[in-house]
Amino acid sequence: MYSHSSRALMAKLIALLTVTHSHAVVVDLSWHPPNSTSINDISQVMTGSGVYGFIYNNSNVPTGSYGTYNWCNMPHVRASEYKKPSAEYKLQYVEAIQRHHKRTVYASNSFPVESYGWDCDNQGLFYYGQPKEGRKSAHTYWNGYISPVNPFVPTGFLGSCQFPQITAEGLDDSWQHGKDLYGVYHDLLGFLPENTADTVNFRVTQNVITSQVAGMLISGMLGTENDYPLHIQPSGYDSLEPTYSCSVSSSLFNAIKSGANWTNHLTAATSLYATLDNISGVPTTDSGFHASFDHYYDNLSARQCHAKPLPCKLVNGVNSTTCVTQTIADSVYRMGNYEYSYIYRDDPRSLAASAASLGVWIAELAANIRNFIDGKSSIIYRHNVAHDGTISRLLSILQVDVMVWPGMGSEVVFEIYKKEATATQPTTLVSSTPTIAAGCKRDNCLRQMIRQSSAVSDFCPTFTVSSATSALPTFVSNCDDNASRVSSACSCIVTPTPTSTTASPSSTATPETGYRVRVLWKGQALRSSNPSLGLIDMLPLETLLAYFDGLVGANASLVKGKCNGSIPV
């Protein structure tokens, strides 16, 4: 039986009431667990085979399989799969954020001695400064080499590449990514103008690999090879990577990665670690390789995405027949996805940790949207090139229902639409998002009623156990035809009291401003475990902005306090 005190309920209502513009919107700011799948079930991770149909060995996915997780080149918005909203919605503003495309391995993730080299002679990393007016610079690029005289030989891969750098294949993926975006937002929707001056904006982090991606993406998207500005914040203060100081978030993430649940999975993987260490030559005392599967995952996946062989054990400097097999690599990939799900979604502290450390960017996103709506900005499209840590925190904040390790080119897109309406009849204004009373257990019955909130808001006020003389409606089918369970769940759902008003000829038929938001992840509408968000497909914009404001404050007003501990998380 569900129960709650009136005092706890009042506290819940006060905590969740967030005012955005002139409308009060009630949202749920609490953490909700992701779906239980084979990805976050450690027993299935340890005993399973393959990697859930995920792709790790090329950037190309057959058209009919688009949307499948591809670590080497994640699905993104493109015209052939894009679902256009109904004609009543007009696109107003778009903000995209993506991970960089595929690259060489980080030097710190290389084995002490690699059995083959890695050259990048098929591309150039161009670095030069040039006055905007006056003399022009030569287009200089780095040409890496290993000196035969220098006695200090680097560990890991040897060759002409930087570790990391976006590879030629990753640059091609970046160009195609830009072309695909233009194919939707210009060719299909007619949203982007022919002349994009003063209407588009691109942003990168201090890590140069994001600039390498941005240059190719802009070329593919806008068809230009001209000079183009990339917006960037100062090192140590950047909100996109993010790099600003946030000790509370760091402590939370450290606690997540040091508790019993975390150490248990590492203990369970002792045999896998022993096999990898034996082949790689990585010392068992190397904390970087053994605090998580991050380093082994990056090393093996970078090879496979570039069609390089999996490594073998070196014996007297020569490859032996003891090698990393695909079965071993798949085990590492399963462990990596489990870890990202645990860090960013499965642990209840993940929401607070992510909201604090990415909170400034979230507030910037909200401000960008509001500034456009209020006529303070002419920018209609913004694009951010960032990292897996950025995308993971964003998915954590949005409480995606199934968490994975965001692969190369992973993309989340926020589309803001305006719904035009001309209703003039008296309209009942009711918040579409119910508040859940404190102390209620979210079983399948209650979860279904939350999802069916519009029907439940009419049903629950008049329902009693004694009144259930006939079959219960289908929108409570998960309650097993148990009238007592339905009644208990109804007692947990608190809906605002309806109020009537007469809309003016120019107003909309809903209590919102008429702006809606769709959030796309892997090119498809993102589904959140948070009942206030649900499937974020034409969600009233006020709901998402209220959710963001509740977590990080308007204009990031809560972030500093949450980061330094003066405001509870």
Side-chain angles (χ1 to χ4, degrees), residues 149-163:
V149 176
N150 191 338
F152 301 98
V153 179
T155 60
F157 285 102
L158 302 181
S160 61
C161 299
Q162 300 298 308
F163 298 97

Side-chain angles (χ1 to χ4, degrees), residues 384-404:
N384 306 265
V385 185
H387 307 273
D388 53 352
T390 314
I391 303 300
S392 296
R393 286 170 170 82
L394 177 57
L395 295 175
S396 176
I397 292 168
L398 293 172
Q399 302 197 56
V400 68
D401 62 345
V402 178
M403 183 67 191
V404 291

Side-chain angles (χ1 to χ4, degrees), residues 170-180 216-217 219-221:
L171 294 174
D172 284 340
D173 290 344
S174 303
W175 188 92
Q176 186 62 49
H177 195 157
K179 182 177 174 60
D180 288 343
M216 292 298 292
L217 183 133
S219 175
M221 185 173 185

Side-chain angles (χ1 to χ4, degrees), residues 83-283:
K83 294 183 180 180
K84 293 177 65 175
S86 61
E88 62 186 326
Y89 294 106
K90 183 178 180 181
L91 186 59
Q92 304 288 310
Y93 176 84
V94 174
E95 182 142 359
I97 181 170
Q98 68 161 101
R99 186 188 183 186
H100 57 76
H101 278 280
K102 65 183 179 184
R103 52 162 174 74
T104 59
V105 66
Y106 270 84
S108 59
N109 298 344
S110 297
F111 299 162
V113 179
E114 292 286 359
S115 58
Y116 53 80
W118 196 333
D119 291 315
C120 295
D121 298 332
N122 56 350
Q123 67 176 109
L125 299 179
F126 289 82
Y127 293 99
Y128 59 91
Q130 178 176 288
K132 288 187 176 180
E133 296 181 3
R135 295 185 175 91
K136 301 298 183 182
S137 172
H139 293 184
T140 57
Y141 62 91
W142 288 4
N143 185 15
Y145 75 105
I146 301 297
S147 169
V149 176
N150 191 338
F152 301 98
V153 179
T155 60
F157 285 102
L158 302 181
S160 61
C161 299
Q162 300 298 308
F163 298 97
Q165 74 172 67
I166 304 301
T167 59
E169 297 89 341
L171 294 174
D172 284 340
D173 290 344
S174 303
W175 188 92
Q176 186 62 49
H177 195 157
K179 182 177 174 60
D180 288 343
L181 288 168
Y182 195 74
V184 170
Y185 294 116
H186 176 272
D187 300 344
L188 181 64
L189 301 180
F191 171 67
L192 288 175
E194 294 292 336
N195 182 1
T196 57
D198 301 322
T199 62
V200 299
N201 176 289
F202 293 86
R203 181 178 169 188
V204 296
T205 73
Q206 288 280 338
N207 190 322
V208 295
I209 62 176
T210 60
S211 295
Q212 294 163 16
V213 167
M216 292 298 292
L217 183 133
I218 291 170
S219 175
M221 185 173 185
L222 304 183
T224 181
E225 296 179 5
N226 295 331
D227 300 343
Y228 213 97
L230 298 176
H231 293 261
I232 186 168
Q233 291 186 359
S235 177
Y237 299 88
D238 182 26
S239 63
L240 180 58
E241 192 163 351
T243 59
Y244 60 84
S245 176
C246 191
S247 59
V248 168
S249 175
S250 298
S251 296
L252 286 171
F253 279 129
N254 288 336
I256 290 171
K257 292 185 286 187
S258 61
N261 286 337
W262 182 265
T263 55
N264 286 345
H265 96 278
L266 295 177
T267 301
T270 299
S271 176
L272 177 58
Y273 264 128
T275 299
L276 291 165
D277 293 345
N278 177 55
I279 294 172
S280 67
V282 171

Side-chain angles (χ1 to χ4, degrees), residues 60 96 123-124 171 183 211 243 288 349 374 378 395 409 481 486 504 549:
N60 303 312
Q123 67 176 109
L171 294 174
S211 295
T243 59
R349 296 165 290 187
D374 293 341
S378 63
L395 295 175
D481 287 327
V486 173
S504 64
D549 286 352

